[in-house]
């Protein structure tokens, strides 16, 4: 029995190290600055600021750059997520914005993934005199439970991979902004990722899942539901890309967008027809 127990522990730690190596070797996230036009002054141009989430460590931001670039906006994607704290993430974002003179643009439009929303809101509260014209928040009643589920189920692995920031995020409530002059759109994911399916029991142990937009606790101008899951949000811009641009340009999503929560089992993968 002792030998079997020891072997199980050895396999676990080998898996832990392998996961960590894979995670960091696949971390293709890097800061991106894609300038559409060098001829105009910054005060005459508009920019898109994309704030990736934890998923960027695996998915990178190549597809984001490919889709959003060369469409009339300068595009910026910061590698801002630190290992220490949300406050460190905020500091990294502030440095990136200052370095790229993003506050000098005529308008800035933000597309923010989950942790990006937490950090962005703190930035706006700290810098109320900003040039942000619109925000599309990527939100997910399921995926927002992922950090807490992982910290509970595999704390050692999560600490090794992400440092202290994911644990802090898992216990930090969403702190909304008052939209005021900023147009706010919410894009709500409606399917579970493979990660959440693997940690379903823990994710559901945190309470009832609420899909109504009011449960997300953020003032908004418009909102839509999408069938894609959080992983797909990093590359399925053939599904959500046009709606994001529609909101950034008009302050509303399209008339045909889905504004009623899907009545299905969110843990059953979506099958495209």
């Amino acid at each position: 029995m002792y030998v079997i127990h020891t072997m199980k522990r050895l396999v676990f730690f080998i898996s832990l190290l392998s996961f960590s190596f894979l995670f960091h070797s696949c971390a293709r996230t890097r800061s991106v600055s894609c300038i559409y036009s060098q001829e105009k002054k910054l005060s005459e141009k508009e920019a898109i600021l994309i704030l990736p989430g934890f998923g960027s460590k695996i998915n990178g931001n190549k597809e984001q750059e490919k889709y959003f670039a060369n469409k009339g906006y300068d595009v910026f994607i910061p590698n801002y997520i630190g290992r220490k704290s949300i406050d460190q993430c905020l500091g990294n974002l502030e440095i990136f914005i200052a370095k790229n003179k993003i506050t000098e643009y005529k308008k800035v439009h933000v597309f923010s993934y989950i942790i990006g929303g937490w950090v962005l809101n703190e930035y706006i509260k700290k810098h109320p005199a900003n040039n942000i014209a619109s925000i599309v928040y990527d939100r997910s009643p399921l995926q927002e439970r992922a950090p807490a589920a992982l910290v509970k189920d595999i704390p050692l692995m999560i600490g090794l991979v992400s440092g202290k920031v994911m644990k802090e995020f898992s216990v930090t409530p969403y702190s909304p902004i008052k939209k005021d002059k900023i147009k706010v759109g919410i894009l709500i994911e409606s399917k579970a990722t493979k990660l959440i399916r693997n940690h379903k029991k823990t994710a559901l142990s945190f309470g009832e899942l609420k899909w109504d937009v009011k449960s997300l606790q953020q003032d908004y101008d418009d909102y839509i539901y999408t069938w894609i899951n959080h992983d797909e949000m990093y590359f399925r811009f053939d599904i959500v890309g046009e709606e994001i641009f529609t909101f950034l340009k008009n302050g509303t999503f399209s008339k045909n967008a889905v504004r009623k929560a899907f009545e299905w089992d969110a843990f059953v993968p979506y099958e495209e027809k």
Side-chain angles (χ1 to χ4, degrees):
M1 288 294 294
Y2 175 78
V3 173
I4 294 174
H5 180 68
T6 302
M7 287 299 296
K8 285 183 177 180
R9 292 185 63 184
L10 180 61
V11 169
F12 172 78
F13 281 110
I14 291 175
S15 299
L16 179 63
L17 291 173
S18 297
F19 179 84
S20 179
F21 174 78
L22 177 62
F23 185 92
H24 290 291
S25 66
C26 292
R28 295 164 292 175
T29 304
R30 80 279 189 236
S31 292
V32 171
S33 301
C34 186
I35 308 302
Y36 179 73
S37 172
Q38 297 281 4
E39 298 175 0
K40 292 183 178 180
K41 297 179 181 179
L42 297 186
S43 60
E44 298 173 347
K45 297 195 294 180
E46 298 184 26
I48 294 177
L49 176 64
I50 300 174
L51 300 180
F54 291 120
S56 63
K57 297 298 182 181
I58 297 296
N59 296 292
N61 50 29
K62 204 170 185 180
E63 293 301 317
Q64 297 161 336
E65 180 184 3
K66 180 180 176 181
Y67 182 80
F68 285 92
N70 301 313
K71 286 184 169 66
Y73 301 84
D74 290 356
V75 177
F76 299 95
I77 312 175
N79 181 15
Y80 69 98
I81 300 177
R83 291 175 57 84
K84 295 180 180 179
S85 65
I86 293 175
D87 190 58
Q88 183 190 30
C89 297
L90 173 59
N92 291 340
L93 178 60
E94 290 176 314
I95 291 170
F96 181 88
I97 288 174
K99 179 180 178 181
N100 290 279
K101 301 180 180 180
I102 294 175
T103 58
E104 297 181 23
Y105 278 80
K106 178 182 178 181
K107 292 180 181 179
V108 174
H109 308 276
V110 184
F111 173 44
S112 176
Y113 288 76
I114 295 173
I115 187 176
W118 267 247
V119 177
L120 175 65
N121 288 2
E122 293 307 309
Y123 175 86
I124 291 172
K125 292 173 184 177
K126 188 174 178 180
H127 304 275
N130 58 71
N131 57 343
I132 297 174
S134 66
I135 303 169
V136 172
Y137 291 100
D138 170 31
R139 299 292 303 274
S140 169
L142 271 173
Q143 194 66 23
E144 289 173 21
R145 297 184 179 197
L150 293 175
V151 168
K152 184 175 181 179
D153 288 352
I154 47 173
L156 181 60
M157 184 179 293
I158 291 305
L160 180 64
V161 168
S162 65
K164 298 179 180 179
V165 66
M166 191 174 291
K167 183 176 181 179
E168 180 186 343
F169 178 79
S170 72
V171 295
T172 302
Y174 182 79
S175 180
I177 59 166
K178 292 182 179 180
K179 64 183 189 66
D180 294 327
K181 63 182 177 63
I182 301 174
K183 291 290 184 179
V184 173
I186 303 177
L187 180 56
I188 306 170
E189 303 165 11
S190 303
K191 282 293 185 181
T193 59
K194 184 177 180 180
L195 184 149
I196 283 291
R197 294 199 302 271
N198 289 339
H199 295 270
K200 178 179 179 180
K201 183 178 180 180
T202 304
L204 292 179
S205 72
F206 300 128
E208 179 188 359
L209 276 172
K210 296 180 180 179
W211 295 97
D212 61 294
V213 67
K214 290 183 180 179
S215 68
L216 299 175
Q217 301 179 330
Q218 175 56 62
D219 289 348
Y220 60 87
D221 291 282
D222 201 358
Y223 67 95
I224 58 172
Y225 292 87
T226 179
W227 58 262
I228 66 177
N229 65 41
H230 191 66
D231 291 338
E232 294 167 326
M233 284 296 299
Y234 283 87
F235 56 87
R236 289 305 305 266
F237 296 111
D238 58 314
I239 303 298
V240 295
E242 189 173 338
E243 287 292 350
I244 294 171
F245 266 109
T246 297
F247 190 90
L248 298 186
K249 291 176 181 178
N250 305 317
T252 60
F253 294 109
S254 73
K255 293 181 180 180
N256 297 325
V258 178
R259 291 177 174 83
K260 183 180 179 181
F262 296 102
E263 295 180 356
W264 58 24
D265 185 345
F267 288 91
V268 176
Y270 182 83
E271 293 185 8
E272 293 185 67
K273 297 179 180 179

